[in-house]
């Protein structure tokens, strides 16, 4: 466990980030006991209250467990953490984690299909203006990054129309992961956000109140990025052989 001294100006966040990185990288595996608060403070060059605050954040995130007797034990983040950890997982040291990205694309495909179906059941013609307007805003863009933003706005309206607090909160979490990685995802997302016809088909199905057609249209649209990702990964594997 190679700890680095922390700049006092960055304190609790930097302590939290460094310990979290050690956990994600396996340097602090599940079941490992963290050094005592005093030892961590000395090793990192920070105050004990700073370490205590960082530890409280880790405990709140489900990443450590404080046991009887004062020992702080690392938990398996795969079993204990929530979606708020995804932003740290998808971009590691400035690079996309392809396994995490694949999982996100799979989740958005499943979630998007069901959200579209609920939107058709609960919205119908009442959302014609907002959905058609979102599609036209998307069609007016030529820049890939601008198209990603407009596509995100379109889905924001669809989630609103679905009127499900659980799907809304899940969408918020996935959006928090997606937005910082938009530039890195440009190649994967370009084909999807360029298929204006599929966005129109989805909007039309929701407006018509056809839940079956909406689910099918959403699946067809969202599968585009998944297919593009699989193709990209295959090409990368071929080029490294």
């Amino acid at each position: 466990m190679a700890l680095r001294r922390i700049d006092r100006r960055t304190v609790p966040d930097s302590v939290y980030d460094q310990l979290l990185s050690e956990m994600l990288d396996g340097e602090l595996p599940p079941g490992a006991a963290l050094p005592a608060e005093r030892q961590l403070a000395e090793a990192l060059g920070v105050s004990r209250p700073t370490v205590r605050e960082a530890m409280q954040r880790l405990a709140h995130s489900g990443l450590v467990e404080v046991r009887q007797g004062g020992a702080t034990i690392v938990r398996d983040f795969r079993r204990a953490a929530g979606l708020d950890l995804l932003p740290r997982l998808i971009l590691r040291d400035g690079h996309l984690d392809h396994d995490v990205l694949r999982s996100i694309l799979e989740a958005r495909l499943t979630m998007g299909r069901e959200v579209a179906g609920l939107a058709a059941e609960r919205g119908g013609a009442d959302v014609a203006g907002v959905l058609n307007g979102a599609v036209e805003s998307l069609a007016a863009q030529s820049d890939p990054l601008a198209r990603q933003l407009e596509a995100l706005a379109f889905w924001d309206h669809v989630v609103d129309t679905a009127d499900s607090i659980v799907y809304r909160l899940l969408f918020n979490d996935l959006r928090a992961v997606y937005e910082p990685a938009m530039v890195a995802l440009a190649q994967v997302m370009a084909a999807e956000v360029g298929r204006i016809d599929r966005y129109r088909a989805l909007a039309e199905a929701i407006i018509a109140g056809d839940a079956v057609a909406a689910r099918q249209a959403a699946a067809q649209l969202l599968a585009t990025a998944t297919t593009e990702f699989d193709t990209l990964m295959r090409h990368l594997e071929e080029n490294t052989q």
Side-chain angles (χ1 to χ4, degrees):
M1 182 176 170
L3 296 173
R4 302 180 301 279
R5 292 183 70 84
I6 296 296
D7 186 333
R8 291 182 183 276
R9 293 172 299 180
T10 59
V11 280
D13 287 344
S14 292
V15 174
Y16 172 86
D17 287 343
Q18 187 173 157
L19 292 174
L20 176 58
S21 293
E22 297 279 347
M23 294 174 190
L24 298 182
D25 292 340
E27 297 297 325
L28 283 171
L34 289 177
E37 188 180 280
R38 177 181 56 79
Q39 293 174 305
L40 279 173
E42 291 176 354
L44 296 168
V46 298
S47 67
R48 291 181 66 176
T50 292
V51 170
R52 191 174 303 122
E53 182 177 339
M55 298 296 283
Q56 287 172 347
R57 284 187 60 190
L58 290 170
H60 180 71
S61 299
L63 298 170
V64 299
E65 176 187 358
V66 180
R67 294 183 177 174
Q68 187 174 5
T72 302
I73 306 299
V74 176
R75 303 180 69 189
D76 186 344
F77 71 87
R78 294 171 183 82
R79 295 181 177 275
L83 287 175
D84 57 324
L85 193 60
L86 276 178
R88 288 296 303 268
L89 292 174
I90 191 173
L91 284 174
R92 305 288 297 279
D93 298 323
H95 300 286
L96 279 174
D97 186 310
H98 294 149
D99 290 337
V100 174
L101 177 55
R102 179 181 284 109
S103 294
I104 291 172
L105 292 174
E106 292 168 349
R108 73 192 281 269
L109 175 57
T110 300
M111 186 177 104
R113 182 174 57 235
E114 295 310 309
V115 166
L118 288 176
E121 293 171 0
R122 297 172 179 174
D126 290 342
V127 294
V130 68
L131 290 184
N132 286 332
V135 172
E136 293 311 312
S137 294
L138 174 59
Q141 301 297 329
S142 57
D143 176 72
L145 186 58
R147 279 187 170 177
Q148 287 187 71
L149 288 169
E150 293 296 344
L152 199 56
F154 172 86
W155 278 104
D156 193 70
H157 294 309
V158 175
V159 173
D160 274 347
T161 305
D163 192 25
S164 166
I165 185 58
V166 173
Y167 280 133
R168 163 48 68 183
L169 296 179
L170 287 171
F171 177 81
N172 293 346
D173 278 333
L174 289 178
R175 181 171 187 160
V177 177
Y178 175 62
E179 287 185 325
M182 288 178 71
V183 174
L185 292 173
Q187 183 176 353
V188 171
M189 297 301 300
E192 179 177 302
V193 298
R195 292 302 304 267
I196 310 303
D197 58 325
R198 292 187 177 178
Y199 283 92
R200 284 202 176 97
L202 175 54
E204 288 170 1
I206 292 173
I207 293 166
D210 189 336
V212 173
R215 288 187 173 93
Q216 291 174 342
Q220 185 179 37
L221 169 64
L222 296 174
T224 309
T226 304
T227 301
E228 186 68 19
F229 173 76
D230 289 339
T231 301
L232 177 61
M233 290 300 96
R234 188 163 55 251
H235 287 167
L236 288 175
E237 290 172 1
E238 292 171 354
N239 291 334
T240 56
Q241 290 177 353

